[in-house]
Amino acid sequence: MLRMKRIPDAVQCAALIAIAQRASGMASPARVDMTAALRAALNRGRPWQVRGLGHITLGVLLGAELRQGPHGVLDDTDVLYFLEREARKGPSITRPFSALGLALAAYDGPSSSRPTAAALRGIRETMRWGLRHARGSDQVVGAYAVGAGLSQAEGARPLLLGMLQDVNRDFVLRGHCALALGQLGRTTADVTAALLEATRERVSPFIQQQAVRALSLLDIPDIRRELVAQLAGK
């Protein structure tokens, strides 16, 4: 069992980062054991920074197992349920970390097995739920927008589009929504038009930059010519 109680917060955070960096290189049984131990260690009494980074590390471990392992982490731990519950019902200060942990579990090509497919459906539904129902600031909601892009939650497209177009929302959230729309990989005429409009927006360079990045991810005829023309002021 991981004994973290008397270790300084900064050292705990460094250890969590090290675990995440080694996740893909662990043998599956060791990864399952580490996931179970870390899950048991992350109780609500720990500082929020440690719990938040711990949730991200759990997501990285889960994702490595979904891609490489026999999915023992799903059978032998409750980590998927735990992260989904924390992303929906946890404290507002750590919910964004839980959402990002889930998104990282779904990111970068998980296998196509039946357990993985079921896990991905749950993760993507959590991202859609967060965009629709998450309590807290736009910064909190932004984590679900990032997660929707990373997890390829196509059902979130209308929500992301609406937030991008809502000038009353926080500019960082709108930028995250723009990039997520590009990460989904397919587009529609209204999404393309909204992203092009966002490249001309003067509210924040961040929105413009994220919209350009999103458009670069989409296979849209003549889009590069349109962007070059904008840069040239035509």
Side-chain angles (χ1 to χ4, degrees), residues 144-206:
Y144 298 90
V146 172
L150 292 176
S151 65
Q152 302 263 290
E154 291 197 10
R157 184 179 280 110
L159 295 166
L160 293 167
L161 177 60
M163 290 181 182
L164 170 61
Q165 294 176 312
D166 186 348
V167 296
N168 293 316
R169 303 303 292 257
D170 178 74
F171 74 89
V172 175
L173 169 62
R174 295 176 63 208
H176 289 326
C177 290
L179 181 58
L181 287 167
Q183 290 172 316
L184 295 182
R186 292 190 298 171
T187 191
T188 58
D190 54 348
V191 168
T192 302
L195 289 172
L196 282 170
E197 181 63 28
T199 66
R200 295 187 284 267
E201 187 157 334
R202 303 304 180 192
V203 172
S204 167
F206 181 72

